[in-house]
Amino acid sequence: MSALSFELLKTSSDSLARRGRIRTLHATIETPVFMPVGTQATVKTLSPEELMDIGAHIILSNTYHLHLRPGEDVIQGAGGLHKFMNWPRAILTDSGGFQVFSLSTLRKISEEGVEFRSHISGEKRFLSPERSIQVQNALGADIIMAFDECPPYPADREYVLASLLRTTRWAKRSLVAHERSEEQALFGIVQGGMEIDLRRQAAEELVELDFPGYAIGGLSVGEPKPLMNEVLEHTTPFLPQNKPRYLMGVGAPDDLFEGVMRGVDMFDCVLPTRIARNGTVFTASGKLVVRNAANAKDYAPLDEKCDCYVCKNYSRAYIRHLLKAEETFGIRLTSYHNVYFLVKLMEKIRASIENGTFLALRKQFYDAYGYNRDAMC
Amino acid sequence: MSALSFELLKTSSDSLARRGRIRTLHATIETPVFMPVGTQATVKTLSPEELMDIGAHIILSNTYHLHLRPGEDVIQGAGGLHKFMNWPRAILTDSGGFQVFSLSTLRKISEEGVEFRSHISGEKRFLSPERSIQVQNALGADIIMAFDECPPYPADREYVLASLLRTTRWAKRSLVAHERSEEQALFGIVQGGMEIDLRRQAAEELVELDFPGYAIGGLSVGEPKPLMNEVLEHTTPFLPQNKPRYLMGVGAPDDLFEGVMRGVDMFDCVLPTRIARNGTVFTASGKLVVRNAANAKDYAPLDEKCDCYVCKNYSRAYIRHLLKAEETFGIRLTSYHNVYFLVKLMEKIRASIENGTFLALRKQFYDAYGYNRDAMC
């Protein structure tokens, strides 16, 4: 048995939206899917039981963070990440590449890999394709990522090309290094910056390598949303129909619609838990800053149209009080609601693809929520 | 119907330990009972459902804090504290007296009441027996407290006497001010510092006023534990057998045994959630500092003898990781475990009183846990 299977259940006639199903060792995942992010082996403030109640079947965790703290040996000693964090469903780990470039300092990139300083201890560390895969093999996630280089935005075309060629070489080394291909599916990552022809080149080179799935990296790194969408629609057509496609680090509500429309199956983003910590929540009619004084005596739920645990039991007034009083239960409630909002939005999107009403749902959602109101993720 | 009934189910032949049952509008509470503290309308990090799972039937909340933020008008607008915080079982609110003396600055005490500055905004505020009861009537807890003055430790006998006489006068004014005696039971508070004869005097004066229950205040304020226990055993004998007795702000494991042995029925303390935030947990063999490096690869549960949600599902290694990484889920887990530990300890104590084995349980517990190891609460 292979570590992952993908079934394409339905395609659309009026867009590239697809309805699929991924099976891994730990879960069956209906796609398109939003994956909540558990950077440090916990989706901030939430329990595994809450994530299951919400309807999450796969979560993401970060190789870079777990490698630095607590270290993959600690997690391996517990019997792997699933057991360590008490999460029985699927997990995806990234390669650490993105964080090495965005979080650490004093990077030295060579063909061999990247030397960097830990953002926690300041110690010198080294990640390479082999090392990243070794760490990910120890963590034991259902889906793991090839080690890649993510160019900044903006970047010179020459730099992007060199980086993409290196990413392809690193993808090959990642494949060779992978020792648990029966249990863990290794995805390749398409880079290429904002250069449309380089995105095609990257996709075609990776497809040659026959990964069980493909990620699209290097988007939502500061570029305008229309540019992200343009690059995206010039990337997915070069990926195989019969493999899942994962748009990394993207997951504002409008991004989910735009990505699905362009043929993406998987998304992840820290946005729902991050804005929750700042006291902001998603609602059917746009974002709401619960912390605002206007909510002091507002006894309505966060979102009148939501049927989540939080909206059934708590008022804006109570949640605002908790946030103002710096009570962590307030952030638990806003985090729960926001993750629920995106997971349920994906459920609605899946149903709309099945019914052939995806574009209608998109229009209806934007009419109520507004388009492009979210910060980049 | 009165707001509270108390049934004395069993007394002990070898100590003052008693097994009882309190009924309020929202709950039936088996005593002796430990009440988790929800200072700001939330038991830090925990949901109401978790508290119910743990087996809590009554929690405490603080008038001083809720009066300052969000203000009792906000809570009254929600339909009272139970609805505001989604807690269907019983609530006890203190009077604010203790916090006015311990948290606020620039206090001016007069016969009328106490002028103080808010520890949050610095604003001048005023609390008096009438104002405290008015706030507590608006909050709507099942059990409310008379407004009292809590002398510091140490304090002159003259000061303690004057303060106690004022507290008795304030108790009378609290009774007169109370407008919801059909729904809320008002307890008097016995003060008297460490002066044994004044404790008796205070108790006798309050008993004259025929409160439905009596609190013992002004203990665990810095005095040595043997002194606290001595004062306690010279106080409870002057309180009526047929009314509940509540030892305020006390709740380390050994304090529970010592209080029960001296005839106390109710306890509250922030200790379990406070030490949880510092990464320390109760176990059958004493306190454990989970944050310590020794636990980095310890895959045992927090307490091998505990059957709580946390101990069934998570290791010391995982919880230590969360605490080191400053993930609030770590504090959720230590808080859950610690509150469970005290609530279950009380269950065992109640069973031992029923079986006539309370003193044997006390000895057994101390042999494993150690006596007086806990910081004052």
Side-chain angles (χ1 to χ4, degrees):
Chain A
M1 196 204 121
S2 73
L4 179 142
S5 73
F6 179 68
E7 204 180 336
L8 189 59
L9 302 173
K10 194 163 192 298
T11 55
S12 305
S13 54
D14 49 5
S15 82
L16 296 179
R18 342 165 339 131
R19 174 75 182 84
R21 182 172 295 145
I22 294 171
R23 283 197 173 83
T24 73
L25 232 57
H26 293 91
T28 297
I29 302 146
E30 305 296 330
T31 64
V33 66
F34 174 78
M35 304 183 285
V37 179
T39 304
Q40 305 193 102
T42 170
V43 176
K44 286 189 191 302
T45 79
L46 300 177
S47 71
E49 290 75 14
E50 284 163 343
L51 290 166
M52 289 194 274
D53 285 348
I54 285 170
H57 289 264
I58 179 168
I59 61 172
L60 182 141
S61 202
N62 289 104
T63 293
Y64 170 85
H65 288 91
L66 297 179
H67 172 55
L68 294 183
R69 184 173 57 195
E72 61 276 14
D73 55 328
V74 169
I75 294 174
Q76 196 169 30
L81 189 52
H82 293 84
K83 285 192 181 153
F84 186 62
M85 67 181 291
N86 185 35
W87 174 250
R89 296 183 178 172
I91 303 174
L92 181 153
T93 47
D94 61 8
S95 67
F98 182 76
Q99 283 76 23
V100 162
F101 292 99
S102 61
L103 289 182
S104 71
T105 52
L106 290 173
R107 296 174 293 279
K108 223 186 297 173
I109 310 173
S110 67
E111 185 60 21
E112 179 55 18
V114 187
E115 194 182 87
F116 62 98
R117 285 196 186 273
S118 159
H119 76 290
I120 301 170
S121 66
E123 282 176 296
K124 264 194 197 164
R125 305 296 284 252
F126 182 75
L127 272 181
S128 64
E130 292 75 16
R131 196 70 195 90
S132 168
I133 298 297
Q134 192 181 27
V135 174
Q136 293 187 77
N137 282 169
L139 297 176
D142 301 68
I143 301 175
I144 67 178
M145 293 289 136
F147 190 68
D148 62 329
E149 186 192 342
C150 179
Y153 173 82
D156 288 346
R157 182 178 165 87
E158 294 93 304
Y159 180 87
V160 172
L161 175 59
S163 160
L164 133 66
L165 294 174
R166 181 186 287 135
T167 289
T168 304
R169 293 192 295 274
W170 283 0
K172 288 179 193 164
R173 284 166 53 190
S174 297
L175 270 173
V176 172
H178 185 24
E179 291 190 343
R180 297 181 66 187
S181 55
E182 302 289 296
E183 301 135 282
Q184 300 181 281
L186 173 62
F187 282 24
I189 303 180
V190 180
Q191 291 288 354
M194 307 302 152
E195 309 292 328
I196 282 170
D197 60 325
L198 297 186
R199 285 277 169 180
R200 176 177 182 162
Q201 180 183 336
E204 287 177 344
E205 288 181 11
L206 286 175
V207 170
E208 284 276 302
L209 301 176
D210 196 26
F211 285 93
Y214 296 90
I216 300 158
L219 290 180
S220 196
V221 290
E223 78 282 11
K225 286 204 182 196
L227 180 54
M228 169 170 95
N229 291 330
E230 191 194 340
V231 172
L232 194 55
E233 70 198 24
H234 287 92
T235 305
T236 50
F238 305 104
L239 295 173
Q241 277 286 331
N242 64 343
K243 305 266 176 90
R245 302 149 177 184
Y246 159 35
L247 178 55
M248 303 184 82
V250 174
D254 56 333
D255 290 334
L256 298 179
F257 278 101
E258 298 311 302
V260 166
M261 199 170 84
R262 290 166 178 84
V264 173
D265 305 303
M266 305 163 70
F267 300 83
D268 82 281
C269 192
V270 297
L271 187 66
T273 46
R274 195 183 61 202
I275 67 172
R277 289 196 296 285
N278 298 328
T280 300
V281 294
F282 300 124
T283 82
S285 48
K287 285 202 282 188
L288 171 78
V289 184
V290 198
R291 285 188 72 95
N292 282 351
N295 301 304
K297 290 192 178 184
D298 188 338
Y299 301 108
L302 293 178
D303 182 359
E304 298 274 11
K305 302 221 164 127
C306 179
D307 63 352
C308 82
Y309 162 73
V310 180
C311 289
K312 278 190 287 196
N313 293 299
Y314 302 93
S315 64
R316 295 173 176 190
Y318 179 61
I319 295 168
R320 174 179 188 268
H321 160 63
L322 295 177
L323 295 169
K324 295 292 285 181
E326 295 184 351
E327 286 285 356
T328 60
F329 190 53
I331 300 174
R332 251 183 91 169
L333 295 177
T334 52
S335 297
Y336 187 107
H337 171 81
N338 279 351
V339 173
Y340 184 93
F341 186 89
L342 293 188
V343 168
K344 291 298 142 174
L345 184 59
M346 274 310 203
E347 269 183 23
K348 287 176 205 157
I349 287 175
R350 289 196 296 270
S352 78
I353 299 171
E354 287 167 16
N355 304 332
T357 56
F358 170 73
L359 289 180
L361 176 70
R362 175 172 169 267
K363 180 177 185 319
Q364 190 193 341
F365 180 84
Y366 287 154
D367 286 348
Y369 186 91
Y371 177 66
N372 262 352
R373 286 212 205 125
D374 286 291
M376 299 307 283
C377 175
Chain B
M1 198 204 119
S2 73
L4 179 142
S5 72
F6 179 68
E7 206 180 334
L8 188 60
L9 301 172
K10 194 164 191 299
T11 54
S12 305
S13 54
D14 50 5
S15 82
L16 296 179
R18 344 169 330 135
R19 174 77 181 84
R21 183 172 294 143
I22 295 170
R23 284 196 173 85
T24 73
L25 231 60
H26 293 91
T28 296
I29 303 146
E30 305 296 331
T31 64
V33 65
F34 174 77
M35 305 182 285
V37 179
T39 303
Q40 305 192 102
T42 170
V43 175
K44 288 190 188 303
T45 77
L46 301 177
S47 71
E49 289 75 16
E50 282 162 344
L51 290 167
M52 288 194 274
D53 286 348
I54 284 171
H57 290 263
I58 179 166
I59 61 172
L60 182 141
S61 201
N62 289 103
T63 293
Y64 170 86
H65 288 92
L66 297 179
H67 172 57
L68 294 183
R69 184 173 57 196
E72 62 275 13
D73 55 327
V74 168
I75 294 175
Q76 195 168 31
L81 189 52
H82 293 84
K83 285 194 182 154
F84 186 61
M85 66 183 290
N86 186 34
W87 173 250
R89 295 183 179 172
I91 303 174
L92 181 153
T93 47
D94 62 8
S95 67
F98 181 76
Q99 283 76 24
V100 163
F101 292 98
S102 62
L103 290 181
S104 71
T105 54
L106 290 174
R107 295 174 296 277
K108 224 188 294 174
I109 311 172
S110 66
E111 184 62 23
E112 178 57 20
V114 187
E115 194 181 89
F116 62 98
R117 284 195 186 275
S118 159
H119 76 290
I120 301 168
S121 66
E123 280 177 298
K124 265 195 198 163
R125 304 297 283 255
F126 182 75
L127 272 182
S128 63
E130 292 74 18
R131 196 71 194 89
S132 168
I133 298 298
Q134 190 181 30
V135 174
Q136 293 187 76
N137 282 169
L139 297 175
D142 301 68
I143 300 175
I144 67 177
M145 292 288 135
F147 191 68
D148 63 329
E149 187 191 340
C150 180
Y153 173 82
D156 290 344
R157 181 177 165 87
E158 293 92 306
Y159 181 87
V160 172
L161 175 60
S163 162
L164 133 65
L165 293 174
R166 182 186 285 134
T167 290
T168 304
R169 292 191 297 273
W170 283 0
K172 287 180 194 165
R173 282 167 54 189
S174 296
L175 270 174
V176 171
H178 185 24
E179 291 190 345
R180 296 181 66 188
S181 55
E182 302 289 297
E183 302 135 281
Q184 301 180 281
L186 172 62
F187 282 23
I189 303 179
V190 180
Q191 291 288 353
M194 306 303 152
E195 309 292 327
I196 283 171
D197 59 326
L198 297 187
R199 284 278 167 182
R200 175 177 182 163
Q201 180 183 336
E204 288 177 345
E205 287 181 10
L206 286 175
V207 171
E208 284 276 301
L209 301 177
D210 196 27
F211 284 94
Y214 295 91
I216 300 159
L219 290 180
S220 197
V221 290
E223 77 283 10
K225 285 205 183 196
L227 180 54
M228 170 170 95
N229 291 331
E230 191 194 341
V231 172
L232 195 54
E233 68 199 23
H234 286 92
T235 306
T236 49
F238 304 104
L239 295 173
Q241 278 285 332
N242 64 342
K243 305 267 175 89
R245 302 149 177 185
Y246 158 35
L247 178 54
M248 302 184 83
V250 173
D254 55 334
D255 291 334
L256 299 180
F257 278 101
E258 298 310 303
V260 166
M261 199 171 83
R262 291 166 177 84
V264 173
D265 306 302
M266 305 163 71
F267 301 83
D268 81 282
C269 193
V270 296
L271 187 68
T273 46
R274 194 183 62 200
I275 68 173
R277 289 196 296 284
N278 297 329
T280 300
V281 293
F282 301 124
T283 82
S285 48
K287 287 201 282 188
L288 171 78
V289 184
V290 199
R291 286 187 72 94
N292 282 352
N295 301 305
K297 288 191 179 184
D298 189 338
Y299 301 108
L302 294 178
D303 181 0
E304 298 275 10
K305 302 222 164 128
C306 179
D307 63 351
C308 82
Y309 162 74
V310 179
C311 289
K312 279 191 286 196
N313 294 300
Y314 302 93
S315 65
R316 294 172 178 193
Y318 179 61
I319 295 169
R320 174 178 188 267
H321 160 63
L322 295 178
L323 294 170
K324 295 291 286 182
E326 296 185 348
E327 286 285 357
T328 60
F329 190 52
I331 300 177
R332 252 183 89 170
L333 295 178
T334 52
S335 297
Y336 187 107
H337 170 81
N338 279 351
V339 172
Y340 184 93
F341 186 89
L342 294 188
V343 167
K344 291 299 141 172
L345 185 57
M346 274 309 204
E347 270 182 23
K348 288 175 204 158
I349 287 176
R350 289 197 296 269
S352 77
I353 299 172
E354 286 168 16
N355 304 330
T357 56
F358 170 71
L359 290 180
L361 176 70
R362 175 170 169 268
K363 180 176 184 320
Q364 190 192 342
F365 181 83
Y366 286 154
D367 286 348
Y369 187 89
Y371 177 66
N372 262 353
R373 286 213 206 123
D374 287 291
M376 299 305 286
C377 173

